[in-house]
Amino acid sequence: MSDTHLCRICIPSPSNIENICEVNQLSYIAQWFIFFCLPFIFAFGLRGGLLLSCQVAGYAGEEQLGEALDGSDIVIIPAGVPRKPGMTRDDLFKINAVIVKSLRTAIAKYCPNALVNMISNPVNSTIPIAAEVFKNAGTFDERKLFGVTTLDVVRAKTFYAGKVKVPVAEVNVPVVGGHAGITILPLFSQEGGTEVVEAKAGKGSATLSMAYAGAVFADACLKGLNGVPDIVECSFVQSSITDLPFFASKVSQWSEARHQLHITSCR
Ligand SMILES: NC(=O)c1ccc[n+]([C@@H]2O[C@H](COP(=O)([O-])OP(=O)(O)OC[C@H]3O[C@@H](n4cnc5c(N)ncnc54)[C@H](O)[C@@H]3O)[C@@H](O)[C@H]2O)c1
Ligand SMILES: O=C(O)C[C@H](O)C(=O)O
């Protein structure tokens, strides 16, 4: 397609092999994939030509962060520690807030127009903090900052489809609220994430399914950037539909053509 907006996507600190799944899902439209701090980037880079239709580059070290981010259209942030059994996502706040801080500051400097897809927990806090960092830098645009809650939707759809015995593709379960404990509000309650964290016993969280969910969400962003109409996903965004300043709800993805992010109330 000659009018396709070829995107540059940066994924700082992705978790190993799982994120190749994410890249494979998106590579049909992205022109560049930039990895930062991926230990096996060189091996992956060699195989990249076979696996992907896009160009792959890897950077490492604080001094290369600016180069990695420079001009990115989408930045997907999965960097940070996962919780261990018995912890809540809020328990990660101290450590992950520091990890993503330098990324947010660098995004404001090197790619202030990028759509930011925040995966790192606690999303309920990393998003409001990111908003403040961008406000201080004078780059905040509420239409471009997303807490990725797609995994809640993926789970809700899977649970519901299993229960009523229909294909997952035939159901839709919007999830509103936030991304922690009782703030995750699908049409039915879910204890999303906790069982996986316990099963992995401290060795990561829902990393693989998050790679899929992250790819679904980033794909919606790519479609929005390419002017595809009516792309709707749930996301944790700045919001005025409740008294809360940030709230996950259905949003139609940011579109260069429409210059606006529609937030609907999921009624
Ligand atoms: N939003 C969601 O639905 C969702 C789903 C799954 C995981 N998560 C969150 O994503 C984050 C990662 O989870 P995971 O299961 O992929 O964990 P993981 O341990 O498999 O991967 C974490 C990645 O972060 C990097 N990292 C760790 N410390 C770092 C530091 N100081 N600086 C830069 N990078 C650093 C690691 O190198 C690794 O690549 C966690 O905060 C987790 O809670 C969110
Ligand atoms: O549960 C976690 O800690 C990881 C993630 O937020 C999830 O929902 O799977």
Side-chain angles (χ1 to χ4, degrees):
M1 273 192 296
S2 57
D3 57 351
T4 298
H5 175 86
L6 290 171
C7 293
R8 177 182 164 111
I9 299 183
C10 184
I11 312 184
S13 288
S15 171
N16 327 341
I17 198 81
E18 287 89 348
N19 290 86
I20 291 178
C21 153
E22 185 160 345
V23 170
N24 270 332
Q25 298 234 6
L26 297 173
S27 60
Y28 72 96
I29 202 167
Q31 184 181 29
W32 270 101
F33 263 101
I34 310 300
F35 292 101
F36 185 71
C37 284
L38 188 63
F40 63 99
I41 182 61
F42 299 108
F44 179 59
L46 288 176
R47 284 191 294 146
L50 296 174
L51 286 171
L52 306 173
S53 57
C54 61
Q55 305 189 59
V56 177
Y59 296 87
E62 208 59 33
E63 67 287 355
Q64 291 195 334
L65 182 56
E67 214 181 323
L69 290 170
D70 194 33
S72 291
D73 298 286
I74 299 178
V75 182
I76 303 171
I77 306 183
V81 295
R83 59 187 170 134
K84 293 192 174 8
M87 293 170 79
T88 67
R89 294 174 183 84
D90 279 347
D91 294 333
L92 303 172
F93 178 78
K94 265 194 187 158
I95 182 157
N96 284 352
V98 175
I99 291 174
V100 292
K101 183 171 184 290
S102 62
L103 287 174
R104 289 181 297 233
T105 309
I107 288 167
K109 185 167 174 194
Y110 294 102
C111 50
N113 292 319
L115 306 193
V116 176
N117 296 1
M118 178 73 75
I119 290 171
S120 312
N121 271 317
V123 169
N124 287 5
S125 303
T126 50
I127 282 290
I129 293 172
E132 288 309 310
V133 171
F134 295 153
K135 278 177 199 163
N136 284 340
T139 63
F140 180 60
D141 183 340
E142 67 190 57
R143 302 165 306 175
K144 297 185 176 181
L145 178 61
F146 304 97
V148 180
T149 58
T150 316
L151 186 51
D152 299 322
V153 176
V154 170
R155 285 192 188 114
K157 283 166 59 169
T158 307
F159 297 159
Y160 178 65
K163 194 82 186 157
V164 299
K165 298 189 175 37
V166 296
V168 176
E170 286 179 16
V171 303
N172 192 15
V173 183
V175 181
V176 301
H179 180 67
I182 57 168
T183 71
I184 302 174
L185 299 172
L187 295 183
F188 51 86
S189 125
Q190 66 171 266
E191 191 46 48
T194 305
E195 294 91 338
V196 180
V197 164
E198 278 164 10
K200 289 181 96 171
K203 297 204 168 57
S205 55
T207 316
L208 180 56
S209 45
M210 186 59 236
Y212 169 74
V216 168
F217 190 78
D219 183 53
C221 291
L222 285 170
K223 286 185 176 136
L225 282 174
N226 277 278
V228 179
D230 306 324
I231 303 295
V232 178
E233 292 289 339
C234 290
S235 178
F236 187 64
V237 292
Q238 180 166 295
S239 166
S240 56
I241 64 176
T242 69
D243 290 342
L244 299 167
F246 294 87
F247 195 77
S249 62
K250 277 183 177 174
V251 298
S252 65
Q253 298 306 307
W254 192 84
S255 147
E256 196 111 46
R258 282 175 288 158
H259 284 286
Q260 58 179 336
L261 173 75
H262 298 285
I263 301 179
T264 62
S265 64
C266 268
R267 284 201 188 98

